[in-house]
């Protein structure tokens, strides 16, 4: 292999091994389609659809090599064969206008509203919200929240602590008491008794449904991250936006908003910028309606 091909394959395998370690998977035969889809979805959220497709291509190639060359390798087709490549289109990401985000928030109720506010007030990636744990990541007593990703070059987990915005603090405290199932994962499936309390691996229908009800151009969870970055940048500058996004370089934040050199910057600026927007003001009113003091 060329050096660049070697580095690419090593990076992909390291990231997969880190994911397997996190999920307690020690046998390749236990790698199912849902597990591999979640892994690739995390990559798509954090690095884009094109990068997720590169990971899929390399893992499928490795699996097929194992079939032919590794003694004891499971002699079955890879679950990756049944995972379609992620749609990857060129051009800028769609970032909805503030009024469209407000209309969507007004259609959300209960857990859905709390989840959308978590995306907005933390600027988190989809997978970071899905994997939130009450025990590990949320400190309601001190008003802090921990977000984790696998964006380190070796695929290992890295974490950053953020100050909880007062409205998100209020929403999470309400959801902690009102949730129908006392489990450790913050957000859970509630539609099916057999899956009640299980963490989400995907929510493909939520945003299209809310956007349709609101009568706005469809956008997804990642657009909430982009919107939070744009509002924070206008209100607090590049350092504040970089901190919120958890980016290494300010240039990444500027280009498409990537680990924070200003990780321990002034988070009060972030809180203020997010509060002053129309979205922040709407969130406050919706929470008063959704979870009245009584």
């Amino acid at each position: 292999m060329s050096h660049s091909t070697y580095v690419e394959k090593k990076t992909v395998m390291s990231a997969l091994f880190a994911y397997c370690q996190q999920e307690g998977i020690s046998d390749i035969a236990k790698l199912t389609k849902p597990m591999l889809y979640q892994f690739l979805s995390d990559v798509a959220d954090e690095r884009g659809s094109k990068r997720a497709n590169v990971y899929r291509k390399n893992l499928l190639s490795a699996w097929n090599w194992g079939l032919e060359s590794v003694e004891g390798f499971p002699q079955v087709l890879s679950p990756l064969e049944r995972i379609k490549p992620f749609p990857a289109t060129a051009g800028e990401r769609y970032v909805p206008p503030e009024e469209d985000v407000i209309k969507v928030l007004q259609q959300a109720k209960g857990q859905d509203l709390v989840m959308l506010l978590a995306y907005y007030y933390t600027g988190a990636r989809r997978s970071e919200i899905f994997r939130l744990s009450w025990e590990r990541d949320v400190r309601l007593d001190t008003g802090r929240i921990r977000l984790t990703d696998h964006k380190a070059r070796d695929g290992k987990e890295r974490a950053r602590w953020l100050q909880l915005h007062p409205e998100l603090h209020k929403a999470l405290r309400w959801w902690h008491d009102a949730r129908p199932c006392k489990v450790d994962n913050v957000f859970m499936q509630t539609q099916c008794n057999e899956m009640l309390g299980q963490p989400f691996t995907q929510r493909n229908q939520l945003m299209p449904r809310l956007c349709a009800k609101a009568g706005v151009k469809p956008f997804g969870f990642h657009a909430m991250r982009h919107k939070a970055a744009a509002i924070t940048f206008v209100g607090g500058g590049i350092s504040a936006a970089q901190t919120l996004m958890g980016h290494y370089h300010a240039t990444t934040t500027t280009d498409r908003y990537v680990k924070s050199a200003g990780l321990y910057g002034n988070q009060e600026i972030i809180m203020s910028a997010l509060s002053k927007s129309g979205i922040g003001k709407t969130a406050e009113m919706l929470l008063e309606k959704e979870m009245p003091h009584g």
Side-chain angles (χ1 to χ4, degrees):
M1 300 176 189
S2 68
H3 180 70
S4 60
T5 300
Y6 164 74
V7 170
E8 179 180 281
K9 291 183 180 295
K10 181 179 178 181
T11 299
V12 170
M13 298 306 294
S14 295
L16 177 67
F17 295 159
Y19 171 78
C20 289
Q21 185 177 35
Q22 174 190 317
E23 298 296 323
I25 303 168
S26 58
D27 185 345
I28 193 170
K30 294 181 181 179
L31 270 176
T32 63
K33 177 186 174 183
M35 290 174 178
L36 288 166
Y37 180 82
Q38 180 60 51
F39 170 71
L40 293 173
S41 293
D42 289 351
V43 175
D45 279 347
E46 296 174 3
R47 304 190 63 186
S49 295
K50 289 184 179 179
R51 181 52 48 181
N53 290 336
V54 169
Y55 274 52
R56 176 186 174 276
K57 178 197 71 173
N58 278 287
L59 291 175
L60 186 54
S61 175
W63 190 292
N64 290 334
W65 177 81
L67 281 173
E68 298 293 331
S69 309
V70 178
E71 186 70 29
F73 196 91
Q75 295 299 299
V76 295
L77 286 177
S78 170
L80 291 155
E81 297 276 9
R82 294 182 289 118
I83 300 176
K84 295 180 180 179
F86 290 80
T89 56
E92 295 182 357
R93 291 178 183 269
Y94 173 64
V95 181
E98 195 168 307
E99 55 267 27
D100 284 8
V101 177
I102 290 172
K103 289 177 182 177
V104 167
L105 289 177
Q106 290 170 336
Q107 298 301 321
K109 303 293 182 183
Q111 174 180 227
D112 294 342
L113 176 59
V114 178
M115 177 179 278
L116 291 184
L117 293 181
Y119 282 110
Y120 174 68
Y121 282 121
T122 65
R125 301 170 180 88
R126 188 198 64 145
S127 56
E128 291 176 322
I129 296 298
F130 278 14
R131 69 169 70 99
L132 280 176
S133 153
W134 291 112
E135 178 67 26
R136 184 183 65 241
D137 302 319
V138 180
R139 300 289 182 268
L140 292 175
D141 54 342
T142 59
R144 301 172 72 221
I145 187 169
R146 189 182 82 135
L147 300 176
T148 60
D149 61 46
H150 294 90
K151 298 215 29 106
R153 290 185 180 276
D154 57 3
K156 292 182 179 179
E157 180 181 271
R158 67 187 182 101
R160 66 188 189 279
W161 284 94
L162 296 176
Q163 178 182 340
L164 270 175
H165 187 282
E167 296 305 321
L168 180 56
H169 194 173
K170 183 194 306 182
L172 286 172
R173 188 178 293 278
W174 171 82
W175 175 240
H176 182 270
D177 295 336
R179 60 201 163 125
C181 189
K182 307 306 180 186
V183 293
D184 184 50
N185 43 285
V186 174
F187 297 110
M188 67 183 73
Q189 301 185 50
T190 60
Q191 302 302 316
C192 173
N193 288 336
E194 292 182 0
M195 298 299 292
L196 179 64
Q198 293 296 310
F200 292 110
T201 56
Q202 56 187 3
R203 297 204 71 185
N204 293 337
Q205 301 304 315
L206 176 61
M207 294 305 291
R209 175 171 57 82
L210 292 177
C211 288
K213 289 178 66 176
V216 302
K217 181 177 177 179
F219 62 90
F221 293 127
H222 210 69
M224 299 289 288
R225 172 172 164 83
H226 276 270
K227 198 65 188 175
I231 290 172
T232 304
F233 175 75
V234 171
I238 186 63
S239 179
Q242 183 186 352
T243 297
L244 182 68
M245 295 295 96
H247 288 164
Y248 276 115
H249 306 294
T251 51
T252 310
T253 310
T254 304
D255 294 340
R256 62 183 175 95
Y257 60 6
V258 171
K259 188 174 179 179
S260 176
L263 188 58
Y264 302 104
N266 186 352
Q267 295 194 14
E268 292 298 333
I269 296 176
I270 298 173
M271 300 296 104
S272 176
L274 294 175
S275 292
K276 290 178 180 178
S277 72
I279 298 172
K281 294 173 182 176
T282 299
E284 185 175 357
M285 291 186 291
L286 287 174
L287 287 176
E288 285 294 325
K289 180 180 178 180
E290 184 73 14
M291 47 203 81
H293 295 302

